[in-house]
Amino acid sequence: MQPPVSFAERLAGSEAFGALFREGMALVEEAAAYLDGSGRDDAKSLPRPEALAYAAESMRLTTRLMQIASWLLLQRAVNQGEITRVQAASDKHKVRLSQQELASNPEIFSHLPEKLRDLAIHSLRLQARVIHLDQLIYGASVAPQRTTEPSPVEAQLQKLRNAFATGM
């Protein structure tokens, strides 16, 4: 008797994965073009609190998209037979997906440039889909790591926010 076919593994090798891959890579390119182009001008015109939020959101967006892109490229390598699924799940290759929320509170986020907000929201949705697929393929034993303490960059940004809030 043959082992059952894994729906998740079939999905990872399907045209649905191809569409997810194209969407993820297109979002990476779109975000890079914005952040390196008109996003710079957008950031320069923001008041200080929003400029700090813009910096935090753009860093978080970049990190989120690099995790997504790394995972998508790893799955494509599996689909093309370059590595096995077991190798992809190993510590050597495994992409550590972490559930990243927005860096800003909703009020400040709503004052950021529309393009940055759209990219951030799109990346969060894509991240949720990738994490879900990762859990289906590799199981709950590799559940996403939730960031429980602020990153060193976030800690520095918070110090800057506090300094500017007190008028230093």
Side-chain angles (χ1 to χ4, degrees):
M1 185 165 135
Q2 291 190 359
V5 175
S6 166
F7 172 73
E9 288 185 24
R10 298 281 291 183
L11 177 63
S14 71
E15 180 52 37
F17 174 79
L20 181 68
F21 182 87
R22 288 186 298 278
E23 178 185 353
M25 292 306 159
L27 187 59
V28 168
E29 289 179 22
E30 183 181 358
Y34 172 73
L35 293 172
D36 287 340
S38 62
R40 290 178 189 239
D41 295 330
D42 289 347
K44 289 176 187 174
S45 65
L46 294 172
R48 189 163 297 197
E50 286 83 0
L52 290 172
Y54 180 97
E57 289 300 343
S58 63
M59 285 187 285
R60 185 98 30 117
L61 172 65
T62 302
T63 301
R64 189 179 306 120
L65 289 175
M66 289 304 101
Q67 285 182 352
I68 291 169
S70 296
W71 188 89
L72 290 169
L73 289 166
L74 185 65
Q75 297 319 304
R76 186 177 71 174
V78 171
N79 294 344
Q80 294 177 345
E82 296 171 13
I83 62 172
T84 67
R85 193 153 312 281
V86 171
Q87 288 172 317
S90 74
D91 283 340
K92 180 179 178 187
H93 294 290
K94 180 71 178 148
V95 174
R96 306 281 183 223
L97 296 169
S98 60
Q99 183 72 38
Q100 293 183 347
E101 303 300 330
L102 296 173
S104 309
N105 68 46
E107 183 180 332
I108 292 203
F109 185 76
S110 69
H111 291 102
L112 295 178
E114 182 178 6
K115 183 66 174 176
L116 179 66
R117 291 191 323 253
D118 290 346
L119 289 167
I121 297 299
H122 189 170
S123 72
L124 286 171
R125 289 181 182 141
L126 185 61
Q127 174 190 47
R129 290 168 37 211
V130 165
I131 287 173
H132 180 70
L133 188 54
D134 184 73
Q135 288 175 337
L136 287 173
I137 295 169
Y138 298 105
S141 64
V142 289
Q145 302 170 351
R146 224 176 226 293
T147 307
T148 55
E149 53 186 75
S151 70
V153 172
E154 181 60 33
Q156 291 298 316
L157 286 171
Q158 189 57 49
K159 287 180 183 178
L160 286 170
R161 285 185 202 110
N162 293 342
F164 288 118
T166 60
M168 290 177 66

